[in-house]
């Protein structure tokens, strides 16, 4: 998908955001709403601008 930012790509990233955050966007509590906005924004930003795997040759360690 490269570095192209489209409305469709943003919509897919929002759809993939944590469920609590998407639901929290409509919360009456201002603090919860602000936390949800930040979580969704961080999720979208990460999906658009952070590399999927910066060290493709390195295998992840098991937990």
């Amino acid at each position: 998908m490269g570095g192209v930012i489209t409305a469709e790509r943003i919509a897919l990233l929002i759809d993939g955001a944590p469920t609590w955050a998407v639901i929290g966007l409509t919360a009456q509590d201002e603090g919860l709403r602000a936390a949800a906005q930040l979580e969704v924004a961080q999720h979208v930003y990460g999906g658009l601008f952070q590399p999927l795997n910066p060290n493709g040759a390195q295998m992840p360690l098991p937990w």
Side-chain angles (χ1 to χ4, degrees):
M1 192 158 248
V4 178
I5 299 172
T6 64
E8 291 80 13
R9 185 169 176 206
I10 293 170
L12 285 173
L13 287 167
I14 292 171
D15 189 46
T19 303
W20 77 265
V22 175
I23 293 170
L25 293 173
T26 63
Q28 289 183 354
D29 179 67
E30 186 176 335
L32 178 59
R33 209 171 43 248
Q37 290 169 353
L38 182 60
E39 182 69 26
V40 171
Q42 288 174 336
H43 182 80
V44 171
Y45 180 85
L48 292 175
F49 298 109
Q50 296 186 3
L52 294 176
N53 189 359
N55 253 341
Q58 184 175 353
M59 294 177 56
L61 294 172
W63 288 95

